Amino acid sequence: MTLLEDTPAHVVSALGPLVSAEATAEAPGTAMEAGDLEQAVWVRLLERLDGNGPPPDAARWVKTAVRAEARRARRTAARELPYGDESSAEPDPACGPERAALRAERRRTLRAAVARTPGKCPRLLTAMLSPEDPTYREIAGALGISQGSLGPMRSRCLGCLRRMLAAEVAAPERGGKER
């Protein structure tokens, strides 16, 4: 879809149905309602019109923008925590500094193990752990492999990582005692 006029009103009327359809399709997988997702895309588009004019391939731009906003919403929802009941005097042990330190240590251990995996596994696993939440198509393009071989390669790499991490963790003795 190419836009013949650069006026924001023309762009809104030309892209309205596409933005609405894409937002409605992506909304169930996010923490946003379709209308909120659509509004975020319109803000992004109007910011672009202010400086650069309409995108050359508007349909592709809309799809990319909707998916990017949906990923942003998923990341935000995963990180946001509701306020607790402020009347309780005891702090929640699940949110304490000890838990945060343990989570950070687990992430460091995982990243170190990922770096020690063989072949293309470090690049693949790092891409899959990326906070940008890339699609299989984006990961395959970055690694220079076909999208169809990504699943089997992912399975092999995760199996290798699982074996490496299992070897690092001490197995408990009989009766539940640790060595």
Side-chain angles (χ1 to χ4, degrees):
M1 171 187 284
T2 59
L3 303 175
L4 302 176
E5 298 179 31
D6 290 353
T7 62
H10 177 70
V11 172
V12 169
S13 67
L15 293 179
L18 179 61
V19 172
S20 179
E22 288 290 329
T24 301
E26 284 288 328
T30 66
M32 295 177 82
E33 293 182 16
D36 294 337
L37 185 58
E38 189 175 341
Q39 185 176 18
V41 172
W42 283 120
V43 168
R44 191 182 266 209
L45 179 63
L46 292 175
E47 287 172 348
R48 179 185 167 85
L49 289 175
D50 197 28
N52 303 337
D57 185 1
R60 186 177 197 177
W61 185 92
V62 166
K63 289 178 184 179
T64 303
V66 168
R67 288 188 181 117
E69 287 297 326
R71 281 193 306 267
R72 186 190 59 74
R74 281 192 299 272
R75 281 193 310 269
T76 301
R79 291 181 181 148
E80 288 180 344
L81 298 173
Y83 287 119
D85 183 16
E86 294 184 19
S87 64
S88 76
E90 293 186 31
D92 185 9
C95 299
E98 295 87 8
R99 294 277 186 186
L102 288 173
R103 280 193 305 270
E105 180 61 29
R106 271 190 244 122
R107 279 194 301 272
R108 279 192 295 274
T109 303
L110 178 63
R111 298 277 181 191
V114 164
R116 292 191 316 267
T117 55
K120 291 185 179 182
C121 289
R123 289 183 59 208
L124 171 68
L125 294 172
T126 300
M128 296 189 87
L129 291 171
S130 172
E132 283 84 38
D133 192 25
T135 63
Y136 263 33
R137 179 178 290 158
E138 293 167 343
I139 293 172
L143 294 176
I145 61 174
S146 71
Q147 190 173 346
S149 65
L150 194 58
M153 183 178 173
R154 178 190 67 108
S155 293
R156 284 191 303 273
C157 292
L158 287 175
C160 182
L161 182 64
R162 194 175 298 116
R163 286 187 300 275
M164 288 174 63
L165 291 173
E168 292 178 9
V169 176
E173 289 182 355
R174 293 180 74 178
K177 298 179 184 176
E178 292 187 18
R179 294 183 219 177

